Amino acid sequence: MYRLKQLTIIFGDLLFFYLSLYCAVSLRHLKLSAFEIVENLIPTMSFLFILGLAIFFIIGLYDLSLSKNNWQLYKKIVISHFIWLIIGIIFFYIRPQKDISPKTILLLVALFNIIFISLWRFIYNKFLSTNILKNKIIFLGLTPESLELAELIAKEPQRGYEIAGIIEPENPQFVNKEIDTQFNTSLKLTIESDLNKLLAENNSKNSNITIVIAPHLANNNKLLADLYKKLFLNISIVSLAQFYEELVGRIPPFTFSEGWFLSNFQEQSKKIYDRFKMIFDYFFAIFIAVIFVISLPLIAILIKLGSNGPIFFTQLRVGRQGKNFKYINIAL
């Protein structure tokens, strides 16, 4: 569901890039039927539009946890379009077109797209993510990690999730009033011991339901047999570790054990994969480096104009084999 929402936003962004191109050409030539001119520009502009999506990704416009209707979101939209405009101008000077010189059109596309993308993100965050693309979550197993995710979902509704309740078949003594003392949370959650009852209360044709299974229920054969019967319903079943990693962006602590390390760190079986990945990483790093070399001075100026803080955020972190390294990032 998370990737589906990201793809929905990306598709909308790309669509509005092309709509902005049509509006820019129509305004530039003062004619509504400008399809012929737009058709000539599409091959070249498509490359710049894809580059624009890459810039959006780098700026953080596809991080759903940060996708809120606030000033930070719209500031990032403006900054990303400014960077895209500068790169587009450089592109057309380096690679001039004989029949087309769309410098003015490029500026108009950026201006139109800032308006369109801002409206698109506002509509998505306000209506689509919290209503149409909403996904109801049932946590199967009461754990600190499941309640951590429940609190995260409650604080960030733009992710498009809604907590339907928690099933705890092995510890039915837990009730709502005991959650605060047992797990240190202020959430008012529905605690049930009957999965079918909770599904019946939340089932509807327009809602997607995801069941997130805690690891301590992996050996509950009766429960697993019941879940097996529900595989063909409109229900998704995922592990708590998988769902935790998707929402938080890191592996939950309970995943790590001696057995996990032995089964996942078999270096001899993935040497070919590592070499291909290293080649891809180098090419991608060079591509990103070129973009940053061009855009970094402009970003630095904008950061200084917009805030009194430093241009770069630095932090000492612990890396492989316990070695310290300095993490550096742009303070957007």
Side-chain angles (χ1 to χ4, degrees):
M1 182 58 70
Y2 186 89
R3 298 303 177 198
L4 175 62
K5 292 172 184 175
Q6 283 185 318
L7 289 174
T8 301
I9 297 174
I10 292 172
F11 178 77
D13 289 349
L14 187 60
L15 180 66
F16 284 115
F17 259 123
Y18 285 106
L19 180 61
S20 298
L21 175 62
Y22 180 79
C23 293
V25 171
S26 299
L27 181 62
R28 177 69 176 84
H29 297 276
L30 298 177
K31 53 190 290 190
L32 290 176
S33 56
F35 293 104
E36 200 172 308
I37 302 173
V38 172
E39 189 177 354
N40 293 331
L41 284 170
I42 281 179
T44 303
M45 295 300 291
S46 293
F47 170 77
L48 289 177
F49 293 163
I50 295 173
L51 182 61
L53 298 181
I55 294 171
F56 290 176
F57 177 80
I58 295 169
I59 293 292
L61 288 175
Y62 297 126
D63 186 347
L64 297 186
S65 64
L66 303 176
S67 185
K68 302 176 183 178
N69 290 330
N70 54 23
W71 166 242
Q72 290 296 324
L73 173 66
Y74 301 116
K75 183 176 76 170
K76 286 183 178 182
I77 291 175
V78 173
I79 291 174
S80 59
H81 280 84
F82 182 76
I83 296 170
W84 177 81
L85 177 62
I86 298 300
I87 294 175
I89 292 173
I90 294 172
F91 172 80
F92 280 113
Y93 272 111
I94 294 175
R95 186 176 176 271
Q97 307 290 312
K98 293 182 180 180
D99 302 325
I100 304 170
S101 183
K103 275 73 174 184
T104 304
I105 291 176
L106 204 62
L107 175 61
L108 291 174
V109 168
L111 294 176
F112 273 116
N113 210 49
I114 288 174
I115 297 171
F116 290 149
I117 294 293
S118 298
L119 289 173
W120 160 234
R121 292 308 179 89
F122 176 82
I123 292 171
Y124 177 85
N125 292 332
K126 188 74 174 178
F127 303 105
L128 291 180
S129 66
T130 56
N131 294 302
I132 297 177
L133 295 176
K134 182 181 291 184
N135 191 357
K136 291 188 175 183
I137 305 298
I138 295 177
F139 286 105
L140 200 52
L142 186 59
T143 68
E145 289 79 17
S146 62
L147 287 173
E148 178 188 348
L149 295 181
E151 289 183 329
L152 177 64
I153 290 170
K155 291 176 183 177
E156 299 178 359
Q158 73 275 5
R159 292 175 179 266
Y161 295 108
E162 178 186 351
I163 303 300
I166 293 181
I167 302 292
E168 186 43 76
E170 295 188 352
N171 296 297
Q173 71 273 18
F174 288 123
V175 293
N176 288 340
K177 64 181 180 180
E178 292 178 340
I179 296 178
D180 294 344
T181 56
Q182 293 284 344
F183 292 97
N184 190 25
T185 178
S186 60
L187 288 175
K188 298 301 179 184
L189 299 170
T190 301
I191 306 297
E192 287 281 354
S193 59
D194 188 353
L195 176 60
N196 293 322
K197 179 181 177 182
L198 194 58
L199 283 174
E201 291 174 355
N202 290 275
N203 192 24
S204 68
K205 294 181 179 179
N206 297 323
S207 64
N208 297 312
I209 298 177
T210 297
I211 298 176
V212 182
I213 307 176
H216 70 272
L217 298 176
N219 297 321
N220 190 322
N221 294 327
K222 181 181 178 182
L223 182 63
L224 295 178
D226 190 27
L227 287 176
Y228 179 77
K229 297 175 183 178
K230 296 176 173 57
L231 286 177
F232 300 101
L233 302 177
N234 187 27
I235 295 172
S236 300
I237 301 174
V238 298
S239 67
L240 179 59
Q242 179 184 344
F243 191 65
Y244 188 98
E245 184 178 1
E246 182 179 303
L247 259 69
V248 182
R250 65 177 185 271
I251 298 174
F254 66 77
T255 301
F256 297 106
S257 64
E258 291 82 356
W260 184 91
F261 279 101
L262 289 175
S263 61
N264 285 275
F265 282 84
Q266 299 176 2
E267 296 293 334
Q268 68 275 11
S269 63
K270 59 187 187 73
K271 288 182 179 180
I272 297 177
Y273 166 79
D274 285 343
R275 289 171 183 172
F276 276 108
K277 184 178 182 300
M278 183 180 66
I279 294 172
F280 173 80
D281 288 343
Y282 275 119
F283 276 110
F284 188 72
I286 293 170
F287 174 72
I288 297 299
V290 171
I291 295 176
F292 268 100
V293 166
I294 297 172
S295 61
L296 191 56
L298 304 172
I299 297 175
I301 294 172
L302 290 173
I303 292 173
K304 275 299 178 184
L305 291 175
S307 66
N308 297 323
I311 295 173
F312 293 99
F313 166 78
T314 60
Q315 188 180 57
L316 191 64
R317 295 187 177 182
V318 180
R320 190 175 182 180
Q321 297 180 351
K323 294 181 180 179
N324 292 336
F325 70 96
K326 184 176 286 188
Y327 171 78
I328 303 175
N329 196 6
I330 300 175
L332 286 175

